[in-house]
Amino acid sequence: MELESSGESADNPPSKGEDRQTLSQFVENMGLLYQDYGVSRIGGRIVGYLLVTPRPVSSEEMAEALQVSRSSVSTNLRTLLMAELVEKVSLPGDRVDYYVLSDLAWQNTLEMRLAAILPLKELAEEGLEGLHPDHPARPRLQSLMDWVGMVESILQRTRDEWQSRSEVLAGPGS
């Protein structure tokens, strides 16, 4: 995929060929990363594209830039909207819907990661319930529970710190 430059403006500075290639690779890598979070590869590419695009983008523009069908973009945008990774915006005098990366995207990505590991704790708890008290698997299952608890605590503290930082950056009355 080669990201297209749609002309120079204050919001869309000129970019060199190597910049476009670097950004294209970044967008592709975001697709692969978000696939690991349970988001489709195209959904991850949309997140990556919105991250490097300095202005709101229509679904048609995304489809063209990412070289995928408009229906695929539309389907993935619905999923990303529900996950609060992207937001729909409108521009004055324009009837087209545009999309931007959500201000909550990183916090919600963290929530996705947390949701992905919490089932490990439940599985370990279920495994421990049925095991004899001196079964050799008990220490490993307990260790898994302890690890998930620690990661959960770290992710929650990180989420809280990010939320506080975002509120400070937004300023009073935002």
Side-chain angles (χ1 to χ4, degrees), residues 44-114:
R45 290 173 66 205
I46 290 171
V47 169
Y49 182 68
L50 291 175
L51 182 60
V52 299
T53 304
R55 61 179 175 75
V57 181
S58 71
S59 59
E60 292 80 15
E61 289 176 273
M62 275 185 246
E64 185 177 325
L66 299 174
Q67 299 175 350
V68 297
S69 71
R70 291 195 325 189
S71 64
S72 182
V73 167
S74 178
T75 298
N76 281 279
L77 281 171
R78 279 193 298 275
T79 301
L80 295 171
L81 284 164
M82 287 182 357
E84 297 183 76
L85 295 175
V86 302
E87 295 176 5
K88 187 187 302 189
V89 297
S90 59
L91 299 178
D94 197 337
R95 293 172 35 161
V96 174
D97 289 328
Y98 292 89
Y99 300 87
V100 295
L101 193 67
S102 170
D103 291 340
L104 300 174
W106 307 132
Q107 183 174 332
N108 291 334
T109 297
L110 194 59
E111 296 290 341
M112 292 164 85
R113 281 313 249 191
L114 181 57

Side-chain angles (χ1 to χ4, degrees), residues 167-168 170-174:
E167 290 168 4
V168 167
S174 299

Side-chain angles (χ1 to χ4, degrees), residues 1-164:
M1 175 196 77
E2 184 75 16
L3 290 179
E4 297 294 322
S5 176
S6 56
E8 296 179 24
S9 73
D11 290 336
N12 198 15
S15 64
K16 298 177 182 168
E18 54 279 359
D19 288 345
R20 282 193 301 275
Q21 184 176 357
T22 297
L23 293 176
S24 293
Q25 188 60 56
F26 172 80
V27 168
E28 290 300 320
N29 290 340
M30 287 289 284
L32 293 171
L33 178 68
Y34 271 83
Q35 203 170 23
D36 290 343
Y37 296 163
V39 173
S40 75
R41 187 172 180 178
I42 292 172
R45 290 173 66 205
I46 290 171
V47 169
Y49 182 68
L50 291 175
L51 182 60
V52 299
T53 304
R55 61 179 175 75
V57 181
S58 71
S59 59
E60 292 80 15
E61 289 176 273
M62 275 185 246
E64 185 177 325
L66 299 174
Q67 299 175 350
V68 297
S69 71
R70 291 195 325 189
S71 64
S72 182
V73 167
S74 178
T75 298
N76 281 279
L77 281 171
R78 279 193 298 275
T79 301
L80 295 171
L81 284 164
M82 287 182 357
E84 297 183 76
L85 295 175
V86 302
E87 295 176 5
K88 187 187 302 189
V89 297
S90 59
L91 299 178
D94 197 337
R95 293 172 35 161
V96 174
D97 289 328
Y98 292 89
Y99 300 87
V100 295
L101 193 67
S102 170
D103 291 340
L104 300 174
W106 307 132
Q107 183 174 332
N108 291 334
T109 297
L110 194 59
E111 296 290 341
M112 292 164 85
R113 281 313 249 191
L114 181 57
I117 66 163
L118 287 179
L120 288 172
K121 186 176 182 181
E122 292 172 19
L123 289 174
E125 287 172 343
E126 290 171 10
L128 283 170
E129 285 176 14
L131 287 180
H132 191 272
D134 53 347
H135 191 281
R138 288 187 75 79
R140 290 189 301 273
L141 292 177
Q142 185 60 53
S143 177
L144 174 57
M145 285 180 50
D146 294 345
W147 178 82
V148 171
M150 180 189 71
V151 171
E152 180 181 16
S153 175
I154 290 168
L155 290 177
Q156 287 174 343
R157 282 194 314 268
T158 302
R159 180 194 59 211
D160 294 346
E161 183 178 329
W162 181 255
Q163 207 168 12
S164 293

